[in-house]
Amino acid sequence: MLHSVRNDCPTAGASALNIDISVTGQPWRWRRPPDASLGMDELVDELLLARGIEREDLARHREPRIRDFLPDPSCFKDMDKGAARLADALQRGESIAVFGDYDVDGATSAALLVILLRRLGGEPIIYIPDRLMEGYGPSGKALVELKARGASLAICVDCGAQAFDALEEARHAGLDVIVVDHHQCASILPVAFALINPNRLDENADGAAHGHLAAVGMAFLLGVALLRELRSRGFFEALAEPAILDLLDLVALGTVADVARLRTLNRAFVAQGLKVMAARRNIGLSALAEAARLVKPASCRDLGFALGPRINAGGRVGKSDLGVRLLTSNDPEEARTIASELDRLNEERRAIEMLVCEQAEAQASEQAGSPVITVMSSGWHQGVIGIVAGRLKERFGRPAIVIAETEDGTGKGSGRSLSGVDLGAAVLAAKDSGLLIAGGGHAMAAGLTLPKGGLEAFRNFISERLASDVEKARGDRALLLDALIAPGGVAASLCDALDSAGPYGAGWPNPRVAAGPVRLLKTGIVGDSHVRGLGCGDDGKTFKWIAFRSAAGPLGQALLSSAADQRWWLAGTIKRDEWNGGNAAEMHLEDAAFA
């Protein structure tokens, strides 16, 4: 059951349970002060309100549907122009090329457009650059090659916003290029037939409001605009109009894997996309789920931690086009073969990642006073530096940039940031200042190319530019709680209520609750580093808890050394304990404090 809680300070961020310093050294705060006598039926609304939804807008957020959040695609600059050019190409029978990126967002964006164009009678050329040999984004050589192969129109997805030279070469070669991207743009845009990007600096307010969309979301909107344009031309008098909503499984996967904020339209994309994915219409996704040993319908977490990494593995340590080939396959046997290869490559990627992470952490530990961790070494695999940057960010609580030095002394880097610290804008500013050969990205992630001998100058620039933002972000650090529950309230029914306000992910955090007061029973280490036990309330009701990878840290040590009569508040997320087919619940601990 939920406790009745009344706070002295009726504002967001109020102290929770009077805990200013927990065992991990942080204060506890209410994300939104809980109402008195809160019932389970009202919990969903409370969670929505705590995530910034206005009370009068609760209805459409309780069950996010596409039609309630989908904007008119025409609100984006160049959308109608791009859709019309694409419609012309289809009606004239022109050869169309889809140029994608090698990550999950790029693969799903390309796959979505390829499948849609096939359903409209086209047979597009697919081009995915090799990460190591070609690097990120379109090159002039690749675009000119597509023109030589017969393409008169190319669509660059999840790339192109900074491809000035490449798009100029394409224009001279007579190749029309539509760019569908979401990365931050400079004040001057590259030459393209159409450049569709909500993060254009000249984008209007309605379009810019969707700057959090992943590239696959923008590709979906281009698909919507294309179908509308073809419909107005009478194209579907002789051909059944394809159901673009069938492609929402791809949109969901790309959105989650790119860590796009799950708000408004993105949340609807993922909520509805998971339903489409459960039907397993996409042969490649079905084969991938089988390779990942997912026996139940995929969850949002599965997209980010099971399916996404396997798609990524092709671009990181294997063949860059494997992901798109899988997602567009119509042959179950071919799909199983590719999925098996991606599963193998993912294991190889994990081994490489562990080695690079160990070396990068050793360097990062020497930068204790720096606002931004910036590490570099030769021999690091470029395919894993983004993942390692994310690991460093989580461990040290600061933005992290990991750079792999190449044979000529230049460096390929990837960075991950904290909420409230715009890394993409800072990298773009470093490029404009002449400190980088190339660079860009978005608020939470960025990529860059460093000139030979340029590490210290770049490190100083990025740290100085972001120092105040990082200090504020770290100063605001607190464990945010959504509810207080009695020990007996850790149950499957609570999981159902919490799930109703999902899906959860970036920008839409998983509900975190506090339970207690409890005494700790049967506390011990399981596996190499997990601490597990029971929490027992004053009424004798108990629940299971586990603190993952905590045995050597302050949380695990405090739990393991607890006195028998010590009473605790425990904080974390409530998850189903489905071991051996059960339907109980347990708490995944993130923190604890004396009661």
Side-chain angles (χ1 to χ4, degrees), residues 360-362 364-365 373 391-398 474:
E361 285 183 355
S365 63
I373 293 170
R391 301 271 189 248
L392 296 183
K393 180 200 77 170
E394 292 300 326
R395 175 171 175 181
F396 295 97
R398 283 170 286 161
R474 286 170 59 82

Side-chain angles (χ1 to χ4, degrees), residues 116-122 230 234-242:
L116 182 61
L117 292 172
R118 284 176 178 172
R119 292 178 179 178
L120 293 170
L230 290 172
F235 189 83
F236 299 116
E237 293 174 3
L239 176 73
E241 181 173 340

Side-chain angles (χ1 to χ4, degrees), residues 305 309-310 312-313 316-317 345-361 379-392 402:
F305 292 94
R310 287 170 168 80
N312 251 334
R316 293 187 186 279
V317 296
L345 290 170
N346 190 51
E347 291 300 315
E348 181 180 331
R349 184 271 306 168
R350 291 176 63 183
I352 296 170
E353 175 196 327
M354 288 178 62
L355 178 61
V356 175
C357 196
E358 180 181 345
Q359 296 173 357
E361 285 183 355
W380 287 352
H381 196 296
Q382 294 178 31
V384 302
I385 55 176
I387 301 174
V388 173
R391 301 271 189 248
L392 296 183
V402 180

Side-chain angles (χ1 to χ4, degrees), residues 423-485:
L423 183 61
V427 166
L428 195 57
K431 173 178 173 287
D432 292 341
S433 297
L435 298 175
L436 297 173
I437 298 171
H442 46 80
M444 299 298 288
L448 57 92
T449 302
L450 187 74
K452 183 178 181 179
L455 177 61
E456 287 306 315
F458 170 71
R459 178 183 280 154
N460 293 336
F461 177 92
I462 206 78
S463 290
E464 181 178 347
R465 181 179 176 91
L466 295 178
S468 60
D469 290 342
V470 173
E471 182 179 5
K472 184 179 186 303
R474 286 170 59 82
D476 292 341
R477 178 175 175 259
L479 193 78
L480 299 180
L481 299 173
D482 288 287
L484 173 64
I485 61 175

Side-chain angles (χ1 to χ4, degrees), residues 138-371:
S139 65
K141 179 181 178 181
L143 293 177
V144 171
E145 178 186 327
L146 289 172
K147 174 65 176 178
R149 291 170 60 182
S152 56
L153 174 65
I155 313 170
C156 292
V157 288
D158 196 28
C159 57
Q162 297 286 329
F164 292 91
D165 293 342
L167 295 184
E168 185 66 33
E169 287 189 51
R171 185 176 72 85
H172 283 300
L175 178 68
D176 287 343
V177 179
I178 298 171
V179 172
V180 182
D181 204 353
H182 68 134
H183 294 100
Q184 291 180 339
C185 296
S187 56
I188 299 176
L189 298 174
V191 176
F193 183 88
L195 199 154
I196 304 165
N197 186 332
N199 291 307
R200 289 174 56 151
L201 296 182
D202 63 345
E203 185 58 270
N204 59 59
D206 289 341
H210 292 85
H212 62 296
L213 295 185
V216 70
M218 294 305 298
F220 179 86
L221 290 171
L222 174 60
V224 172
L226 172 62
L227 293 179
R228 182 175 62 183
E229 176 68 21
L230 290 172
R231 196 181 307 124
S232 71
R233 300 183 182 192
F235 189 83
F236 299 116
E237 293 174 3
L239 176 73
E241 181 173 340
I244 194 170
L245 293 180
D246 288 351
L247 302 178
L248 284 174
D249 48 4
L250 297 174
V251 182
L253 176 57
T255 297
V256 172
D258 212 52
V259 202
R261 292 188 296 122
L262 298 191
R263 305 189 70 83
T264 58
L265 180 57
N266 274 347
R267 187 161 164 261
F269 277 153
V270 176
Q272 301 305 319
L274 287 171
K275 295 177 183 178
V276 174
M277 193 175 295
R280 299 207 167 186
R281 296 189 181 103
N282 186 292
I283 291 172
L285 277 177
S286 181
L288 193 64
E290 182 181 332
R293 294 162 287 282
L294 297 180
V295 295
K296 300 181 69 173
S299 66
C300 194
R301 178 177 175 80
D302 292 329
L303 302 188
F305 292 94
L307 301 182
R310 287 170 168 80
I311 294 288
N312 251 334
R316 293 187 186 279
V317 296
K319 295 181 179 178
S320 296
D321 66 346
L322 283 177
V324 175
R325 286 174 53 199
L326 175 73
L327 297 175
T328 58
S329 177
N330 292 315
D331 182 342
E333 188 58 38
E334 177 193 46
R336 280 192 290 270
T337 299
I338 297 175
S340 177
E341 175 67 1
L342 287 172
D343 188 53
R344 184 192 67 78
L345 290 170
N346 190 51
E347 291 300 315
E348 181 180 331
R349 184 271 306 168
R350 291 176 63 183
I352 296 170
E353 175 196 327
M354 288 178 62
L355 178 61
V356 175
C357 196
E358 180 181 345
Q359 296 173 357
E361 285 183 355
Q363 283 193 37
S365 63
E366 300 174 358
Q367 300 180 29
S370 178

